[in-house]
Amino acid sequence: MKKFNFRKVLDGLTASSPGSGSGSGSNSSGGSGAMHPGGTAGVLREEIQETLTSEYFHICKTVRHGFPYQPTALAFDPVQKTLAIGTRTGAIRILGRPGVDCYCQHESGAAVLQLQFLINEGALVSASSDDTLHLWNLRQKRPAILHSLKFNRERITYCHLPFQSKWLYVGTERGNTHIVNIESFILSGYVIMWNKAIELSTKTHPGPVVHLSDSPRDEGKLLIGYENGTVVFWDLKSKRAELRVYYDEAIHSIDWHHEGKQFMCSHSDGSLTLWNLKSPSRPFQTTIPHGKSPREGRKSESCKPILKVEYKTCRNSEPFIIFSGGLSYDKACRRPSLTIMHGKAITVLEMDHPIVEFLTLCETPYPNEFQEPYAVVVLLEKDLIVVDLTQSNFPIFENPYPMDIHESPVTCTAYFADCPPDLILVLYSIGVKHKKQGYSNKEWPITGGAWNLGTQTYPEIIITGHADGSIKFWDASAITLQMLYKLKTAKVFEKQKVGEGKQTCEIVEEDPYAIQMIYWCPESRIFCVSGVSAYVIIYKFSRHEITTEIVSLEVRLQYDVEDIITPEPETSPPFPDLSSQLPSRSLSGSTNTVASEGVTKDSIPCLNVKTRPVRMPPGYQAELVIQLVWVDGEPPQQITSLAVSSAYGIVAFGNCNGLAVVDFIQKTVLLSMGTIDLYRSSDLYQRQPRSPRKNKQFIADNFCMRGLSNFYPDLTKRIRTSYQSLTELNDSPVPLELERCKSPTSDHVNGHYTSPTSQSCSSGKRLSSADVSKVNRWGPGRPPFRKAQSAACMEISLPVTTEESRENSYNRSRSSSISSIDKDSKEAITALYFMESFARKNDSTISPCLFVGTSLGMVLIISLNLPSADEQRFTEPVMVLPSGAVLTFSCMDRTGALMQPPYEVWKDPNNIDENEKSLRRKLVMNCPSPSQDIGDHQYTIICSEKQAKVFSLPSQTCLYVHNITETSFILQADVVVLCNSACLACFCANGHIMIMSLPSLRPMLDVNYLPLTDMRIARTFCFTNEGQALYLVSPTEIQRLTYSQEMCDNLQDMLGDLFTPIETPEAQNRGFLKGLFGGSGQTFDREELFGEASAGKASRSLAQHIPGPGGIEGMKGAAGGVMGELTRARIALDERGQRLGELEEKTAGMMTSAEAFSKHAHELMLKYKDKKWYQF
């Protein structure tokens, strides 16, 4: 365990950077040391022992949640009862019982064309669009490829694997059929060429193979369907076509009747044809299920193609005919449908999305028995549903998987690990009351695999914000995901009628209720969201239903472009010259305003809050709605940062115009001012022109964070992409028209304060700079507030990233919002943080503070003067005092432990018993008492897009500097806790994940994890405690990962088993007559026919065998040491013992049966021994 002595670090501060040993740059270290040349070297006398080392960290993916993006294929194992879904990106998701959810990926990324389970064998065959077959081993928790077979000269179109067979039939685009040995994955020399399958007189090519299946009656006969309507019944032994069927419409699919005497085809004209093997010259029956009844002498009207049909028989009822498509062309507006024909009843199930594939789940895996279908799995483009066939109204099963994450597009995420344990139960008990009804009362039919909780079972909650304004709370404990509670934020607003809401449309084209940011305090249960239409909603949790009016406030945030200070070149900090880049406009009028019926819009919010009393069910109930309003014809800018303190009862938010602070207990606006006004060291309302000499004094008197540019975890995540890219499920480019709505081009005037006791937040009339000093904005009886002089004098040389370098490093994924802000060089509020800290330099006591960080690198502190008595908090005003500047994004105490912001303990605000008690609020302060002698023993951590620094408070001494990246920039950074120690986790735009210890900023981990391909990852990537992180990997899926070595080691125990030993059900007794006349399937030997001895070897140029790493990787994943080997051996012995026991029981049963048969036969022989033939 290494110790770090701060005294030695500070002694060498002037000579070199304290972080140089961990990669800090000499330029930045020299800048830091020069400001305080050893002045505080002797202050720190305690040593902090850092317990984290690089052995604690390792990156690995844990589990993927959500619906598989762009699905293409579906397969089901009827014995193991597991489901597999293939996608266009080469991914495969294997689903079993809840908790059994596995993701695997083809390295090539080629689309999955078809999937085939080796039924009850723990293996899966996948055919991909690069004409490669893969064999996956499912007998391990992380499947791996055992073999691959690459076809070089032909393209794969269809595969079929008979039940309990090791020979796979492969159809190709040329019309040929090849056979592959599953065990060795080697091509057999037996080939069915297309020119031998069709008649010699046929002059045209039959097209690709679209269907392959062996006859249920005789396994030695293979049914081959070609695209042009030709069907060939091939005798494998005699190597010739036993019969051929021709139809003038293209074939899409074929399915057998279980007796093997009939088969059904679906065609491109919406027809179904039933063929009998005894009369192949014409269809036994032809129907167009959705076609109009033909008139006399006319042909039936054609319909849309029936893409797939399944023909399933029942012992005690009519057969099921289930197909997709086939609707009439004159019903263009009808949605995709699945049709179920059962006897004379026809049921059409309309779907919300196009049907990709469907499968009928049957009781038996044997194709020659009554199928007894009980459910249909329907794979849609954006959903997975299962229909119950055992009930006449065909209800659907309630899906236990989180397949509806993308029900509305995800726009932001939040991840909370190690939450209060009662939260999950509380949220579930509220959310279960609002679940949809009408589901099937039967259990979910996909029950394969096995799963246990594992060793790490601390509570985890994921929150997702969506484009329709909804919020979903998910239980993410033990690498599962289950929805707990859904909150609809749009219910606080009036519904917009057609033709209304134009002011909103000028900000976003659609989805005006979309969620941009989420802030949640699990301890106090205070929840706050900000939306794309520039609003903030504060929610409080209650178990009781209430009916009340929604309180709303309107805030006017402006950016003063006239009164920008221009430093001289020799004294200016290295961030852009604002006055030279901002457009020059006068206060007398706007040059670009939006008129509505000839009147300039002003002080109008984007949405209308409901004014009537609203019923609020138990759960989260709206406490306050805050809306930014139009200013002189310009729409409000979207909110870029958000923070809430339940202990202080204050919410703070900012955008590229300024900062607003609101007291949500008294429902008043405490502060509303432009960003530039936060730096004033004199009276805020004495706006006199400043000379360059006076400008020097301004810089010297203020704490300047030089170069802490664009806190990108917030700018990229919170100043969202242009809104169309947030809500679309594809990765289409951003329209340039939206940049007009995002760019801050309005005519701005000075920011303002509002009386803490007033209920209104309107700013009044617009004032010129000459008149503003004459107005008392604090209302009667209160003098104008003066900002305190800054006590800090310090510069921090974190590098500023210029627009050019940003565009070069991350040009494709830049949002129009960020580009527009950089273009106009507005200083956006990018980070807000409430904490008990030192308000000024060398303070001896801590006090409530709000830390504010901006996009130009300025970080300053705002002091909060709260009433001392708890009862006075509801009546006395809160004073908001802009003070000296101190830099922080997180705080640590003198022992190096992470300090959490104070919070209020939750109590139900609508509980009658609670209201009768005292109004005393119970606060938890996670920091030392002011009476303790804490001295210079509080540290703050700041991370810019390039650097991280650690400061000592209240002396404001820079202790450590670390250059995190030189060629890229940071998208997300968080201070998290792992193994009871704090560390800094960063995610860069170049895909690197980096972990640094605190407070020394020593690199613990640097892994090139994921190249940033789109803004979706940057917008949703988030770290949390206990080594967890997540991001939205596709529009429909959440990928979770861990950077904890301990969790990586335990991950194998947390994952579910995809394969469990299950005895294959025995085939039904066919009876004496069926066995005698039912065909020769029982004597068919595929090995003799397809083996190398009889069929020879296939051409080497036809296909290439590629050994897979499945065996080695599977051993590594399942083992991990001697204990893993012993565990596997024990499991194998258990399986062997179980099978031996079953075999022994079977043998005993057969012996008993044989003895009984022998006894009955002997009795029968004695009975008829002396009888003559005519006596029978």
Side-chain angles (χ1 to χ4, degrees):
M1 187 179 299
K2 191 173 180 180
K3 299 180 180 180
F4 296 91
N5 194 316
F6 281 179
R7 183 189 302 177
K8 294 180 180 180
V9 173
L10 293 175
D11 288 341
L13 188 61
T14 57
S16 62
S17 169
S20 60
S22 59
S24 60
S26 58
N27 295 336
S28 60
S29 62
S32 299
M35 302 309 298
H36 296 277
T40 59
V43 175
L44 299 177
R45 302 185 181 278
E46 294 189 6
E47 296 179 351
I48 295 180
Q49 296 182 351
E50 293 187 0
T51 59
L52 293 179
T53 61
S54 58
E55 287 76 17
Y56 282 80
F57 299 94
H58 183 72
I59 292 285
C60 70
K61 295 180 180 179
T62 54
V63 68
R64 182 171 292 197
H65 301 298
F67 179 76
Y69 184 52
Q70 295 179 333
T72 55
L74 185 67
F76 182 72
D77 188 328
V79 178
Q80 288 289 321
K81 295 190 182 302
T82 53
L83 188 75
I85 301 174
T87 71
R88 193 176 301 172
T89 58
I92 298 177
R93 287 279 293 279
I94 303 172
L95 305 172
R97 67 177 65 249
V100 179
D101 187 345
C102 181
Y103 167 84
C104 43
Q105 173 74 43
H106 292 90
E107 291 185 1
S108 64
V112 178
L113 297 180
Q114 195 175 353
L115 295 172
Q116 284 276 324
F117 273 104
L118 275 68
I119 296 176
N120 204 26
E121 295 293 335
L124 177 72
V125 175
S126 63
S128 54
S129 60
D130 59 351
D131 306 311
T132 305
L133 297 173
H134 305 275
L135 179 64
W136 295 83
N137 179 18
L138 305 184
R139 291 176 178 257
Q140 56 196 48
K141 293 190 175 183
R142 288 195 178 275
I145 295 177
L146 294 173
H147 302 281
S148 296
L149 188 65
K150 169 73 173 175
F151 281 75
N152 297 322
R153 295 185 297 181
E154 296 192 57
R155 308 212 64 180
I156 300 173
T157 57
Y158 196 86
C159 299
H160 171 65
L161 180 65
F163 178 48
Q164 294 181 328
S165 170
K166 66 176 184 179
W167 297 95
L168 175 71
Y169 300 110
V170 181
T172 67
E173 192 176 30
R174 292 186 179 181
N176 303 325
T177 301
H178 301 274
I179 302 172
V180 178
N181 188 313
I182 290 297
E183 294 178 349
S184 61
F185 237 58
I186 296 176
L187 206 61
S188 170
Y190 192 108
V191 183
I192 304 174
M193 304 299 291
W194 68 270
N195 53 357
K196 293 183 178 179
I198 64 174
E199 290 183 340
L200 296 177
S201 59
T202 305
K203 298 181 180 179
T204 59
H205 191 279
V209 175
V210 296
H211 177 82
L212 291 168
S213 62
D214 54 340
S215 170
R217 189 180 183 187
D218 187 354
E219 295 177 352
K221 307 292 177 60
L222 183 68
L223 192 70
I224 307 173
Y226 295 95
E227 189 181 53
N228 72 340
T230 301
V231 180
V232 176
F233 196 50
W234 184 264
D235 190 332
L236 294 170
K237 284 186 176 181
S238 61
K239 299 182 180 180
R240 64 180 183 85
E242 185 171 303
L243 61 88
R244 298 178 179 88
V245 166
Y246 299 97
Y247 195 70
D248 55 0
E249 293 291 341
I251 292 177
H252 286 280
S253 69
I254 303 176
D255 200 20
W256 280 100
H257 187 279
H258 82 278
E259 293 181 348
K261 300 178 181 179
Q262 296 176 338
F263 61 88
M264 182 174 289
C265 302
S266 67
H267 300 277
S268 58
D269 63 344
S271 63
L272 296 174
T273 56
L274 184 63
W275 299 83
N276 196 319
L277 295 182
K278 293 184 178 180
S279 55
S281 59
R282 59 186 180 85
F284 175 74
Q285 182 181 353
T286 302
T287 58
I288 301 180
H290 295 296
K292 295 181 180 180
S293 300
R295 297 180 180 178
E296 296 182 0
R298 293 189 180 183
K299 186 179 178 181
S300 300
E301 180 185 5
S302 62
C303 297
K304 296 178 182 179
I306 296 179
L307 301 180
K308 183 177 181 179
V309 64
E310 291 203 348
Y311 189 20
K312 303 300 178 184
T313 56
C314 303
R315 185 180 301 273
N316 299 320
S317 65
E318 295 291 329
F320 280 90
I321 300 175
I322 306 171
F323 60 90
S324 61
L327 295 180
S328 176
Y329 279 106
D330 61 354
K331 299 178 181 178
C333 297
R334 290 192 63 171
R335 296 184 292 179
S337 64
L338 183 78
T339 304
I340 302 175
M341 300 174 62
H342 189 212
K344 296 182 179 180
I346 299 179
T347 304
V348 179
L349 304 179
E350 292 189 343
M351 305 294 170
D352 294 331
H353 310 285
I355 298 175
V356 176
E357 175 70 287
F358 74 89
L359 284 175
T360 305
L361 309 187
C362 301
E363 296 287 352
T364 176
Y366 295 93
N368 58 353
E369 297 177 357
F370 282 101
Q371 299 299 290
E372 302 294 345
Y374 59 89
V376 179
V377 179
V378 186
L379 179 64
L380 308 177
E381 279 190 0
K382 299 175 184 178
D383 201 1
L384 176 71
I385 65 172
V386 181
V387 181
D388 186 359
L389 293 180
T390 61
Q391 300 183 38
S392 59
N393 59 340
F394 302 126
I396 65 173
F397 291 89
E398 184 177 6
N399 198 329
Y401 313 126
M403 293 292 182
D404 58 345
I405 292 177
H406 64 288
E407 182 180 15
S408 176
V410 177
T411 55
C412 61
T413 58
Y415 193 5
F416 300 88
D418 204 8
C419 300
D422 61 328
L423 264 182
I424 292 179
L425 183 59
V426 169
L427 290 173
Y428 179 78
S429 63
I430 298 296
V432 74
K433 300 176 182 178
H434 304 286
K435 281 193 173 182
K436 296 179 180 179
Q437 304 297 324
Y439 292 111
S440 173
N441 54 9
K442 295 192 175 182
E443 293 185 359
W444 181 253
I446 303 170
T447 58
W451 178 76
N452 52 29
L453 288 176
T455 56
Q456 296 181 345
T457 57
Y458 49 82
E460 299 174 68
I461 292 179
I462 293 174
I463 304 177
T464 55
H466 299 264
D468 63 352
S470 61
I471 304 286
K472 293 182 180 180
F473 291 77
W474 306 84
D475 177 13
S477 306
I479 69 172
T480 61
L481 198 67
Q482 180 183 7
M483 196 173 80
L484 298 172
Y485 173 69
K486 183 176 180 179
L487 173 66
K488 297 181 179 179
T489 63
K491 287 188 174 181
V492 304
F493 301 106
E494 297 284 358
K495 291 184 179 180
Q496 293 185 343
K497 298 179 180 179
V498 179
E500 295 182 357
K502 293 182 179 180
Q503 61 266 28
T504 305
C505 297
E506 293 172 9
I507 301 180
V508 291
E509 289 188 347
E510 55 184 10
D511 298 318
Y513 308 111
I515 305 299
Q516 279 191 303
M517 276 174 289
I518 295 171
Y519 194 99
W520 188 44
C521 178
E523 291 79 11
S524 65
R525 303 184 187 177
I526 291 290
F527 185 66
C528 186
V529 299
S530 68
V532 71
S533 298
Y535 64 84
V536 173
I537 308 177
I538 298 99
Y539 288 90
K540 286 188 177 181
F541 188 85
S542 176
R543 298 177 184 268
H544 303 277
E545 178 180 314
I546 61 170
T547 300
T548 183
E549 292 186 359
I550 301 174
V551 181
S552 64
L553 292 176
E554 295 179 359
V555 179
R556 186 182 180 95
L557 273 183
Q558 305 176 52
Y559 192 87
D560 186 2
V561 298
E562 275 294 302
D563 197 26
I564 292 175
I565 303 165
T566 307
E568 290 185 352
E570 63 271 13
T571 61
S572 62
F575 46 78
D577 185 358
L578 301 183
S579 62
S580 62
Q581 296 189 23
L582 285 175
S584 176
R585 296 179 183 170
S586 69
L587 290 170
S588 59
S590 172
T591 59
N592 183 17
T593 60
V594 181
S596 176
E597 297 180 359
V599 179
T600 301
K601 293 182 181 179
D602 190 71
S603 301
I604 301 174
C606 298
L607 300 173
N608 297 321
V609 179
K610 291 181 179 178
T611 56
R612 62 184 182 278
V614 177
R615 186 187 70 87
M616 299 183 184
Y620 275 105
Q621 299 167 350
E623 177 77 6
L624 178 65
V625 179
I626 308 167
Q627 292 181 284
L628 298 182
V629 297
W630 286 64
V631 178
D632 295 333
E634 291 292 338
Q637 299 299 312
Q638 295 178 7
I639 295 169
T640 59
S641 57
L642 177 67
V644 182
S645 174
S646 60
Y648 307 153
I650 293 175
V651 57
F653 59 93
N655 59 11
C656 62
N657 285 342
L659 172 69
V661 181
V662 176
D663 182 348
F664 62 81
I665 293 180
Q666 299 186 35
K667 311 294 190 300
T668 58
V669 179
L670 304 177
L671 177 70
S672 174
M673 62 191 309
T675 310
I676 197 68
D677 295 331
L678 298 174
Y679 303 118
R680 305 302 185 193
S681 58
S682 60
D683 192 338
L684 287 172
Y685 309 109
Q686 301 297 328
R687 298 293 185 87
Q688 303 300 328
R690 297 175 181 270
S691 66
R693 184 176 302 274
K694 195 167 184 178
N695 192 31
K696 290 184 181 180
Q697 185 65 29
F698 167 76
I699 295 176
D701 286 344
N702 284 272
F703 180 67
C704 178
M705 273 299 301
R706 187 175 61 183
L708 184 66
S709 61
N710 281 349
F711 186 70
Y712 252 93
D714 288 283
L715 271 184
T716 317
K717 180 178 177 183
R718 298 175 180 176
I719 308 176
R720 304 300 178 189
T721 59
S722 60
Y723 197 70
Q724 184 173 350
S725 65
L726 291 183
T727 56
E728 291 184 352
L729 290 185
N730 54 21
D731 297 325
S732 59
V734 175
L736 295 178
E737 304 86 73
L738 290 184
E739 184 152 341
R740 178 187 61 82
C741 302
K742 300 287 185 178
S743 300
T745 56
S746 62
D747 175 27
H748 302 283
V749 295
N750 302 331
H752 65 280
Y753 290 107
T754 322
S755 170
T757 57
S758 67
Q759 293 294 327
S760 172
C761 57
S762 61
S763 62
K765 64 179 182 179
R766 195 161 53 119
L767 303 176
S768 65
S769 59
D771 296 334
V772 72
S773 61
K774 302 177 183 180
V775 179
N776 183 350
R777 301 192 187 184
W778 283 91
R782 291 188 181 271
F785 177 74
R786 295 178 62 87
K787 180 181 177 183
Q789 293 290 333
S790 172
C793 179
M794 177 178 171
E795 290 188 0
I796 297 179
S797 55
L798 294 181
V800 175
T801 300
T802 62
E803 180 70 21
E804 293 182 4
S805 64
R806 287 189 197 131
E807 292 295 338
N808 292 335
S809 61
Y810 190 36
N811 187 30
R812 292 178 56 192
S813 302
R814 293 292 306 229
S815 73
S816 62
S817 301
I818 301 174
S819 302
S820 62
I821 290 176
D822 292 338
K823 190 187 303 179
D824 288 353
S825 296
K826 285 193 175 183
E827 189 169 11
I829 304 296
T830 58
L832 296 169
Y833 188 69
F834 287 100
M835 176 53 70
E836 297 275 320
S837 187
F838 301 94
R840 294 172 179 81
K841 186 175 182 180
N842 296 324
D843 276 0
S844 59
T845 59
I846 59 176
S847 61
C849 300
L850 170 63
F851 294 100
V852 182
T854 74
S855 60
L856 295 183
M858 303 300 294
V859 178
L860 49 90
I861 188 171
I862 293 179
S863 177
L864 305 175
N865 187 4
L866 300 175
S868 56
D870 186 73
E871 291 79 5
Q872 297 175 354
R873 178 64 185 88
F874 297 93
T875 57
E876 292 295 322
V878 177
M879 304 297 293
V880 180
L881 315 175
S883 178
V886 175
L887 163 64
T888 185
F889 288 111
S890 189
C891 291
M892 300 174 67
D893 61 17
R894 60 183 177 180
T895 65
L898 187 64
M899 297 175 60
Q900 299 296 335
Y903 63 88
E904 177 188 4
V905 178
W906 176 80
K907 63 179 181 180
D908 198 326
N910 301 319
N911 193 333
I912 299 177
D913 297 335
E914 292 287 341
N915 292 336
E916 293 176 355
K917 298 179 181 179
S918 172
L919 296 177
R920 181 176 299 276
R921 302 163 65 234
K922 184 179 179 181
L923 306 182
V924 177
M925 315 301 286
N926 295 312
C927 55
S929 171
S931 62
Q932 297 180 6
D933 183 17
I934 60 174
D936 192 5
H937 292 102
Q938 191 180 94
Y939 312 113
T940 62
I941 302 99
I942 179 78
C943 184
S944 76
E945 62 180 7
K946 294 287 186 180
Q947 276 188 349
K949 288 193 175 186
V950 177
F951 288 85
S952 173
L953 294 181
S955 65
Q956 302 179 4
T957 304
C958 180
L959 300 179
Y960 291 99
V961 185
H962 179 65
N963 285 335
I964 298 176
T965 178
E966 296 291 345
T967 59
S968 184
F969 56 90
I970 297 173
L971 292 168
Q972 180 67 33
D974 287 296
V975 176
V976 294
V977 176
L978 179 66
C979 300
N980 297 321
S981 298
C983 58
L984 177 64
C986 302
F987 175 57
C988 289
N990 58 8
H992 282 251
I993 292 179
M994 289 169 284
I995 312 292
M996 282 144 283
S997 66
L998 291 176
S1000 65
L1001 294 176
R1002 289 181 300 119
M1004 298 283 101
L1005 178 73
D1006 187 353
V1007 175
N1008 187 5
Y1009 170 75
L1010 176 73
L1012 189 66
T1013 55
D1014 54 58
M1015 284 297 296
R1016 183 185 300 108
I1017 298 174
R1019 190 181 68 246
T1020 58
F1021 198 105
C1022 55
F1023 295 97
T1024 188
N1025 297 331
E1026 307 299 336
Q1028 303 271 27
L1030 65 81
Y1031 59 93
L1032 200 68
V1033 68
S1034 73
T1036 63
E1037 295 171 290
I1038 289 177
Q1039 177 67 59
R1040 292 168 64 181
L1041 63 139
T1042 180
Y1043 49 90
S1044 167
Q1045 180 67 57
E1046 180 183 3
M1047 186 168 183
C1048 291
D1049 295 339
N1050 297 329
L1051 183 60
Q1052 199 69 20
D1053 298 330
M1054 302 173 68
L1055 296 174
D1057 292 302
L1058 300 175
F1059 176 81
T1060 55
I1062 300 176
E1063 182 182 356
T1064 303
E1066 293 184 0
Q1068 296 178 3
N1069 188 3
R1070 304 181 67 189
F1072 175 76
L1073 294 178
K1074 286 189 176 181
L1076 185 63
F1077 302 107
S1080 58
Q1082 300 297 324
T1083 61
F1084 180 68
D1085 187 0
R1086 293 188 178 92
E1087 181 68 31
E1088 180 183 354
L1089 188 60
F1090 302 144
E1092 185 177 334
S1094 58
K1097 293 183 179 180
S1099 173
R1100 293 184 178 181
S1101 61
L1102 183 60
Q1104 177 186 1
H1105 176 256
I1106 305 172
I1112 300 175
E1113 293 296 331
M1115 295 290 287
K1116 288 181 180 179
V1122 177
M1123 294 302 296
E1125 295 288 346
L1126 293 175
T1127 302
R1128 291 194 310 105
R1130 178 177 58 78
I1131 294 174
L1133 287 174
D1134 292 343
E1135 293 180 4
R1136 184 171 178 270
Q1138 182 180 358
R1139 291 188 177 183
L1140 285 175
E1142 294 174 354
L1143 182 61
E1144 185 177 357
E1145 293 176 0
K1146 277 188 177 182
T1147 305
M1150 292 176 64
M1151 291 178 63
T1152 303
S1153 177
E1155 291 176 359
F1157 179 77
S1158 175
K1159 180 180 178 181
H1160 288 301
H1162 183 69
E1163 292 176 353
L1164 190 64
M1165 184 266 295
L1166 293 176
K1167 180 178 179 181
Y1168 296 103
K1169 179 179 179 182
D1170 298 328
K1171 289 188 177 183
K1172 303 298 182 181
W1173 63 269
Y1174 52 83
Q1175 293 178 325
F1176 287 94

